Amino acid sequence: MKELAKHVPTVLFQTVEWNELAHELPKISRRIIQKEGYTELLAKQKELLAPLGIYLKEEPISGTLTMNKASGEKLLTLYFAQLFSKDGFFLDIRSNHFKSDEDKLIWHPSPLWTKFDERFRQGVLKVYDGFYTDKNDVYFEGLEMIGLIQPDWSDEDKNKLAELFRSQFGSALTEEMYFDLDHFKTSIIKLSDFMLKKKVKIPKDFLYLGIYLVTLYSSLEETHAKLPVRDIYLKVREQEDFSPQ
């Protein structure tokens, strides 16, 4: 957890409601140390991800994953697919937890996992859906559902927040994009500074989303390749099991 947290801008922690987060700390500890809920979630994620060529192993794996465009696309597929899971998801998708076997991705997840509040999870999906399908109203609705936009804000403030959050995506019109962890951290710092200025506390789930994204970026920047993010999201969404609720 310490290794992960050092990559998350400290200002993000300042925007989270600490009373809410304090209740999470014992839960995080039980999951990391006692592996609480690990076996149950592993079984569900095995079923979810196997059709996508991603296979989970409870026992440690030997070997390393060469980060290139192909493995990067698999990790992006994994990232989006887990967001469609109502059962929760494993947070740490750094490349050292994977190996490749021909066209398969083998994953030994660490015991750090979470389960989003359902409204938050649906909001995240709406943010991605609105962005990648060029539906601005859906994008803004999603930002409000995850607590980044407040209903009583002015249109100017709503648009500014939306642009700050959009900066992590690159451009919806760009077919492929590079992943750069430093760029992502900068966008999170700007976003958090804006939320602090507006005196808004964001839900704990946003911190978990931030950790999830940090591990994604740290892996994908190793590819040094442009990745078709929009196409991968749409392919995952179009899978029967991943249709939006």
Side-chain angles (χ1 to χ4, degrees), residues 198-209:
K198 297 296 294 181
K199 298 180 179 179
V200 172
K201 292 293 186 179
I202 59 178
K204 68 181 187 308
D205 283 339
F206 191 80
L207 180 58
Y208 286 125
L209 178 62

Side-chain angles (χ1 to χ4, degrees), residues 1-8 92 94 96-97 185 211 214-215 218:
M1 186 64 180
K2 185 185 296 184
E3 176 66 23
L4 291 174
K6 77 178 185 181
H7 296 294
V8 180
D92 190 353
R94 287 175 296 171
N96 60 303
H97 297 291
K185 289 179 182 178
I211 293 172
V214 161
T215 67
S218 67

Side-chain angles (χ1 to χ4, degrees), residues 39 42 55 103 133 139 179 184 188 194 197 212 226 234:
T39 301
L42 189 78
Y55 298 89
D103 62 339
T133 61
Y139 177 68
F179 281 77
F184 173 71
I188 288 295
F194 182 80
K197 181 180 178 181
Y212 193 36
K226 284 187 173 182
L234 293 177

Side-chain angles (χ1 to χ4, degrees), residues 17-234:
E17 180 56 62
W18 276 103
N19 288 336
E20 185 181 18
L21 187 58
H23 288 92
E24 290 292 298
L25 296 178
K27 186 190 302 181
I28 293 172
S29 178
R30 291 194 303 272
R31 290 174 179 174
I32 293 176
I33 299 173
Q34 302 173 19
K35 300 185 76 170
E36 181 180 82
Y38 181 83
T39 301
E40 293 82 359
L41 182 59
L42 189 78
K44 292 181 181 296
Q45 299 304 80
K46 278 184 177 180
E47 183 178 352
L48 179 82
L49 298 169
L52 301 172
I54 302 166
Y55 298 89
L56 282 68
K57 302 288 185 181
E58 185 166 359
E59 63 276 7
I61 55 178
S62 59
T64 58
L65 178 65
T66 300
M67 289 306 302
N68 53 30
K69 186 165 185 174
S71 56
E73 290 178 2
K74 278 287 189 183
L75 277 180
L76 267 173
T77 299
L78 166 62
Y79 170 81
F80 286 124
Q82 284 206 111
L83 292 178
F84 281 89
S85 170
K86 292 183 177 181
D87 299 307
F89 62 97
F90 294 108
L91 284 163
D92 190 353
I93 53 175
R94 287 175 296 171
S95 59
N96 60 303
H97 297 291
F98 298 87
K99 74 173 184 178
S100 57
D101 183 5
E102 296 180 350
D103 62 339
K104 300 176 183 177
L105 187 65
I106 312 299
W107 183 24
H108 170 61
S110 75
L112 183 61
W113 64 275
T114 192
K115 181 179 179 181
F116 283 158
D117 172 82
E118 185 58 18
R119 175 177 170 82
F120 186 91
R121 188 181 72 85
Q122 289 292 336
V124 171
L125 293 178
K126 283 183 179 290
V127 167
Y128 283 121
D129 216 53
F131 184 80
Y132 289 122
T133 61
D134 297 318
K135 296 177 181 177
N136 217 35
D137 56 334
V138 176
Y139 177 68
F140 273 78
E141 181 184 359
L143 290 174
E144 185 171 325
M145 288 175 70
I146 65 176
L148 291 186
I149 281 181
Q150 302 300 306
D152 60 345
W153 281 4
S154 67
D155 287 344
E156 180 182 358
D157 283 341
K158 290 179 180 180
N159 287 325
K160 184 172 182 178
L161 185 283
E163 284 303 315
L164 286 171
F165 196 75
R166 188 179 280 119
S167 67
Q168 68 165 293
F169 293 102
S171 170
L173 302 178
T174 302
E175 291 186 0
E176 299 186 339
M177 66 173 281
Y178 288 109
F179 281 77
D180 181 274
L181 185 56
D182 286 337
H183 171 78
F184 173 71
K185 289 179 182 178
T186 299
S187 70
I188 288 295
I189 289 170
K190 290 179 179 178
L191 177 70
S192 299
D193 284 341
F194 182 80
M195 299 299 287
L196 287 173
K197 181 180 178 181
K198 297 296 294 181
K199 298 180 179 179
V200 172
K201 292 293 186 179
I202 59 178
K204 68 181 187 308
D205 283 339
F206 191 80
L207 180 58
Y208 286 125
L209 178 62
I211 293 172
Y212 193 36
L213 279 164
V214 161
T215 67
L216 175 72
Y217 269 74
S218 67
S219 295
L220 296 187
E221 75 171 0
E222 294 176 25
T223 67
H224 303 291
K226 284 187 173 182
L227 298 168
V229 187
R230 181 176 182 272
D231 289 347
I232 290 171
Y233 169 75
L234 293 177

